[in-house]
């Protein structure tokens, strides 16, 4: 008596249901806009009350972000725009800071700052806070309750991300399985259908992500998916370029699939088949690495520390995942739908899977160190907790793979059949012959009854189909080792579905290293929460000539030892920019007999001068001298002492 295994259709249906349920649970519990960048500070701070209206509002982020004209909006108590809409880039070295200028003559009251931008690893982030001028007041502005990347659009985008990973794994892993493990599988229809469906899934998911990208990072409205202006803006971003490149590479992948299941499958000569396999292997590897590179280019690997190492490592990681899980999927299909898959193919895949696991372990260890950074982040952040879940699932998957490997070894070295086994085999052969004879008899009866009684003919056709199904099932389940391998591979695939879902959520979650760094910058509520405070001073001047009066507004950011960014804004008494021919700066630390250190800023635009990398060698009371020349003969030097560091 043999143990029957579940049908492939039922098994795959269970896998899909499991994937949908798990993905829905993970997406529902995840912060929609978790990302690599985080807001670490602002000026004014959240809840601050300032005596006079500031000239600008600026925000500091932990990582680089992509800003648009509406990324920072300041609203007055009545809900009207209080900013000019012009984003000011205040970044310098490792400091990522952007601001927006405020309109002149703002009245007292509570102002709302709403911001939304896209992290360098493609994920949207948003937030809002308030500050007050003079004294707090009532405000008609309600803080937005929708988080960037959330809602229906965020859920659909997350599902498309999951399907794109799954499609990539099946496409790449399935193609590799055919070329490396089972060349004859190129002519097996179920295998062909599986790989083609992987290509269709990846292509469709990529198109959906491209259409949803604009509402995902912007309005959150599904109707904006077909906004051509939004699509054009997406195509100009790094993520848009990555998705477009993926579609182009999928065109090359379609050619690879066509040759693999066409010319390669029809080749009969060993030399011709070997030469074509070599070409397909080289071309397929290049295309697969290119597609994997579209993820590395636009997501976590492209930002943070060591991106030059992280991106190639990420590509290797994705290729190893595809070779293992995609090959596993095609093997599962072959074991159920093509029971004549040879033992040698299973053995080869076992070796491929072992190598893939070794690559995954090495690349995963590096990625974990890079994204987590500390033991506390491993247990105290959502990214670290998800990573622990992923590691646990990987351990379970490796354990099941070990069981599958044991079944493979039993397939490869079957015991010599004894007398009892030979009798069983003889009995099975007799049963099979009897079923074939019954099937032929039913076919003959159907042909005779077809003209006389169509209903009877249909009944006989159904009986014949049932007999044929029973015969195929007997052939499939005749080998107990093969049946055991099918069950273990099915279990392995089920765990892989869960693992892929966790990985999808992990790629859209803020890394533990970034979360801890952002938390250290914002954990305290007082001024000590931001130890590096920019130097902002106003220096009135009068050169004595025509149009020689005004104010120099100087900003030294982050206002600490090391490299700083210097910005100078020269204004007329009425606050409008004043164009001057020359401006120079010198810094002196008299207590340590350092300086004067000259700084020659560059003219950016009318009234705006800037210099990057201004070095402050040590903390102390520094004298800042600014020399302003308004004509060939009219100039003056103004100075002020400030504490830096």
């Amino acid at each position: 008596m043999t143990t029957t295994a579940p049908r492939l259709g039922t098994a795959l249906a269970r896998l899909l249901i499991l994937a949908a349920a798990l993905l829905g649970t993970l997406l529902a519990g995840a912060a929609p806009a978790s990302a690599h960048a985080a807001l670490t500070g602002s000026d004014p701070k959240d809840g601050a009350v300032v005596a006079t209206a500031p000239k600008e509002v600026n925000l500091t982020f932990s990582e680089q972000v992509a800003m648009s004209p509406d990324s920072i909006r300041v609203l007055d108590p009545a809900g009207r725009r209080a900013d000019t809409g012009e984003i000011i880039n205040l970044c310098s070295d490792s400091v990522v800071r952007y601001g927006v200028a405020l309109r002149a003559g703002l009245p007292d009251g509570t102002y709302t700052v709403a911001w939304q931008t896209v992290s360098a690893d493609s994920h949207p982030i948003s937030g809002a806070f308030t500050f007050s001028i003079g004294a707090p007041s009532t405000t008609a502005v309600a803080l937005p309750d929708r988080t960037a990347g959330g809602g229906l659009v965020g859920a659909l985008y997350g599902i498309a991300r999951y399907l794109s990973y799954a499609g990539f794994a099946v496409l790449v892993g399935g193609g590799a399985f055919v070329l490396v493990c089972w060349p004859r599988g190129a002519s097996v229809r179920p295998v062909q259908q599986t790989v083609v469906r992987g290509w269709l899934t990846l292509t469709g998911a990529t198109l959906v992500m491209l259409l949803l990208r604009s509402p995902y990072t912007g309005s959150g409205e599904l109707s904006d998916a077909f906004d051509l202006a939004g699509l054009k803006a997406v195509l100009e971003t790094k993520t848009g370029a990555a998705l477009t490149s993926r579609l182009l590479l999928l065109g090359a992948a379609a050619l690879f699939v066509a040759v693999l299941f066409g010319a390669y499958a029809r080749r009969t000569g060993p030399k011709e088949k070997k030469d074509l396999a070599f070409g397909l292997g080289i071309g397929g590897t290049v295309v697969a690495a290119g597609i994997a590179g579209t993820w590395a280019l636009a997501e976590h690997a492209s930002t943070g520390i060591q991106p030059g190492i992280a991106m190639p490592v990420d590509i290797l990681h994705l290729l190893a995942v595809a070779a293992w899980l995609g090959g596993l999927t095609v093997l599962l299909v072959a074991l159920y739908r093509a029971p004549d898959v040879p033992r040698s193919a299973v053995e080869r895949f076992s070796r491929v899977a072992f190598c893939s696991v070794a690559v995954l372990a090495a690349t995963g260890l590096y990625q974990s160190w890079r994204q987590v950074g500390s033991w506390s982040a491993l247990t105290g952040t959502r990214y670290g907790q998800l990573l622990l879940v992923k590691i646990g699932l990987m351990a379970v998957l490796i354990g099941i793979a070990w069981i599958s490997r044991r079944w493979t070894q039993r397939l490869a070295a079957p015991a010599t059949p004894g007398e009892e086994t030979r009798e069983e085999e003889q009995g099975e052969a007799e049963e099979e012959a009897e079923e074939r004879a019954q099937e032929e008899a039913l076919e003959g009866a159907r042909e005779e009854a077809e003209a006389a009684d169509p209903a009877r003919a249909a009944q006989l056709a159904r009986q014949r189909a049932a007999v044929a199904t029973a015969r195929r099932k007997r052939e499939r389940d005749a080998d107990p080792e093969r049946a055991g391998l099918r069950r273990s591979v099915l279990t392995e695939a089920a765990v892989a579905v869960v693992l892929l879902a966790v990985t999808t959520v992990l790629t859209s979650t803020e890394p533990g290293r970034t979360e801890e760094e952002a938390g250290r910058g914002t954990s305290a509520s007082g001024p000590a929460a931001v130890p590096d405070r920019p130097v902002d001073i106003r220096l009135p001047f009068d050169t004595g000539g025509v149009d020689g009066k005004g104010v120099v507004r100087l900003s030294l950011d982050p206002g600490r030892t090391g490299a700083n960014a210097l910005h100078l804004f020269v204004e007329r008494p009425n606050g409008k920019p004043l164009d001057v021919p020359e401006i120079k700066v010198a810094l002196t630390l008299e207590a340590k007999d350092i300086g004067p250190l000259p700084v020659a800023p560059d003219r950016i635009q009318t009234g705006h001068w800037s210099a990057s990398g201004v070095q402050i060698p040590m903390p102390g009371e520094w004298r800042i001298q600014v020399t302003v020349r308004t004509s060939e003969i009219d100039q003056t030097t103004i100075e002020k002492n400030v504490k830096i560091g």
Side-chain angles (χ1 to χ4, degrees):
M1 180 177 179
T2 58
T3 303
T4 60
R7 290 176 62 84
L8 179 63
T10 305
L12 288 182
R14 290 173 181 170
L15 286 178
L16 291 174
I17 293 172
L18 175 63
L22 180 78
L23 189 60
T25 302
L26 290 172
L27 290 174
S34 296
H36 207 155
L39 183 71
T40 58
S42 66
D43 188 14
K45 293 184 176 65
D46 184 13
V49 179
V50 296
T52 59
K55 294 290 184 181
E56 64 187 38
V57 171
N58 62 65
L59 309 178
T60 304
F61 297 92
S62 60
E63 298 285 351
Q64 190 57 253
V65 294
M67 304 295 286
S68 63
D70 281 335
S71 288
I72 305 175
R73 295 180 298 121
V74 183
L75 307 175
D76 67 14
R80 297 184 297 266
R81 290 287 291 265
D83 61 275
T84 62
E86 180 184 355
I87 299 297
I88 304 172
N89 187 344
L90 302 175
C91 300
S92 63
D93 295 329
S94 61
V95 178
V96 180
R97 179 176 289 121
Y98 291 90
V100 63
L102 299 182
R103 301 182 186 277
L106 294 178
D108 291 353
T110 297
Y111 289 75
T112 302
V113 180
W115 57 272
Q116 179 170 328
T117 184
V118 180
S119 174
D121 61 359
S122 81
H123 303 297
I125 54 175
S126 63
F129 63 91
T130 61
F131 71 94
S132 301
I133 300 175
S137 70
T138 58
T139 176
V141 180
L143 294 179
D145 55 0
R146 185 187 67 82
T147 306
L152 176 61
V153 170
L156 293 175
Y157 194 87
I159 292 172
R161 283 169 55 84
Y162 176 86
L163 292 176
S164 66
Y165 282 121
F168 173 77
V170 173
L171 171 64
V172 173
F177 180 85
V178 171
L179 280 176
V180 177
C181 304
W182 191 27
R184 197 180 66 78
S187 59
V188 176
R189 188 166 181 79
V191 172
Q192 295 175 349
Q193 291 173 337
T194 303
V195 175
V196 170
R197 285 168 184 164
W199 182 90
L200 291 172
T201 300
L202 177 55
T203 304
T206 302
L207 286 170
V208 170
M209 291 173 66
L210 194 59
L211 291 174
L212 290 179
R213 184 66 190 173
S214 178
Y216 174 67
T217 59
S219 66
E221 300 294 333
L222 187 59
S223 58
D224 289 342
F226 300 99
D227 179 23
L228 294 181
L231 180 60
K232 181 178 181 296
V234 166
L235 294 176
E236 295 173 352
T237 64
K238 183 171 68 171
T239 303
L243 292 174
T244 305
S245 300
R246 189 180 304 168
L247 289 174
L248 294 174
L249 288 166
L250 282 169
L255 179 61
F256 168 86
V257 172
V259 175
L260 179 65
F261 297 141
Y264 179 77
R266 292 192 296 268
R267 287 287 190 276
T268 56
K271 186 177 185 309
E272 291 182 353
K273 203 173 185 70
K274 184 177 180 180
D275 292 342
L276 188 54
F278 178 79
L280 284 172
I282 297 296
T285 301
V286 172
V287 173
I291 296 175
T294 61
W295 274 287
L297 172 68
E299 297 195 350
H300 285 163
S302 63
T303 61
I305 62 173
Q306 300 179 347
I309 300 175
M311 292 176 67
V313 167
D314 195 50
I315 292 173
L316 281 176
H317 192 82
L318 285 170
L319 292 177
V321 168
W324 184 14
L325 302 188
L328 185 72
T329 302
V330 175
L331 175 61
L332 179 64
V333 171
L335 288 171
Y336 276 88
R337 300 286 299 280
D340 60 337
V341 57
R343 294 184 174 94
S344 58
V346 183
E347 286 183 294
R348 292 190 195 103
F349 176 71
S350 180
R351 290 192 290 270
V352 170
F354 179 80
C355 295
S356 298
V357 170
V359 174
L360 284 173
T363 56
L365 184 64
Y366 170 77
Q367 289 178 328
S368 300
W369 166 80
R370 181 175 177 271
Q371 301 290 7
V372 177
S374 67
W375 292 109
S376 60
L378 188 62
T379 57
T381 65
R382 178 173 175 79
Y383 187 95
Q385 293 161 1
L386 282 171
L387 183 61
L388 289 175
V389 173
K390 180 180 177 180
I391 293 172
L393 288 171
M394 279 291 297
V396 172
L397 199 58
I398 291 172
I400 300 172
W402 179 80
I403 296 174
S404 298
R405 188 176 178 87
R406 294 291 299 272
W407 282 114
T408 301
Q409 291 171 349
R410 294 178 66 175
L411 281 175
T416 302
E419 188 65 31
E420 183 179 348
T421 304
R422 285 197 295 270
E423 290 178 359
E424 290 180 358
E425 290 178 348
Q426 183 178 358
E428 290 175 356
E430 292 175 354
E431 289 180 7
E432 182 178 348
E434 183 179 346
E435 287 174 351
R436 288 184 181 276
Q438 184 180 1
E439 186 178 346
E440 291 173 358
L442 288 170
E443 175 62 17
R446 184 191 65 80
E447 291 176 353
E448 293 177 0
E450 189 169 15
D453 187 357
R456 175 62 178 162
Q459 182 182 8
L460 291 171
R462 288 193 296 271
Q463 291 177 356
R464 180 174 178 272
V467 170
T469 300
R471 179 171 55 80
R472 287 194 299 269
K473 185 176 181 181
R474 175 182 291 278
E475 292 174 353
R476 188 187 70 188
D477 297 335
D479 189 343
E481 283 78 17
R482 196 176 296 272
L485 178 62
R486 278 196 298 269
R487 288 192 295 271
S488 65
V489 170
L490 179 62
T491 306
E492 198 175 343
V495 177
V497 168
V498 180
L499 177 65
L500 195 61
V502 173
T503 301
T504 303
V505 177
L506 195 65
T507 58
S508 62
T509 302
E510 181 181 353
R513 183 189 294 270
T514 305
E515 185 176 337
E516 280 207 333
E517 290 175 356
R520 284 194 292 268
T522 57
S523 59
S525 58
V530 185
D532 299 330
R533 186 168 183 83
V535 173
D536 292 301
I537 58 176
R538 295 171 61 85
L539 300 169
F541 67 86
D542 184 0
T543 62
V546 177
D547 210 8
K549 290 185 178 181
V551 175
V552 173
R553 186 157 54 91
L554 182 146
S555 172
L556 194 64
D557 188 7
R560 56 170 167 78
T561 56
N564 289 260
L566 176 68
H567 290 273
L568 297 148
F569 299 92
V570 186
E571 301 172 347
R572 301 176 187 273
N574 60 6
K576 293 184 178 181
L578 173 62
D579 201 11
V580 296
E582 185 182 24
I583 189 167
K584 295 185 295 185
V585 179
L587 299 99
T588 304
L589 182 60
E590 293 182 341
K592 299 293 183 179
D593 198 23
I594 298 176
L597 305 177
V599 179
D602 298 318
R603 183 181 182 277
I604 305 301
Q605 60 184 12
T606 301
H608 183 192
W609 299 68
S610 176
S612 60
V614 177
Q615 294 292 329
I616 304 296
M618 62 177 60
E621 192 80 17
W622 286 81
R623 183 171 76 249
I624 299 179
Q625 296 175 305
V626 179
T627 300
V628 182
R629 182 167 64 84
T630 57
S631 69
E632 291 297 329
I633 59 173
D634 298 316
Q635 76 173 36
T636 185
T637 299
I638 46 182
E639 62 182 51
K640 188 170 185 177
N641 291 337
V642 296
K643 188 172 183 179
I644 300 177

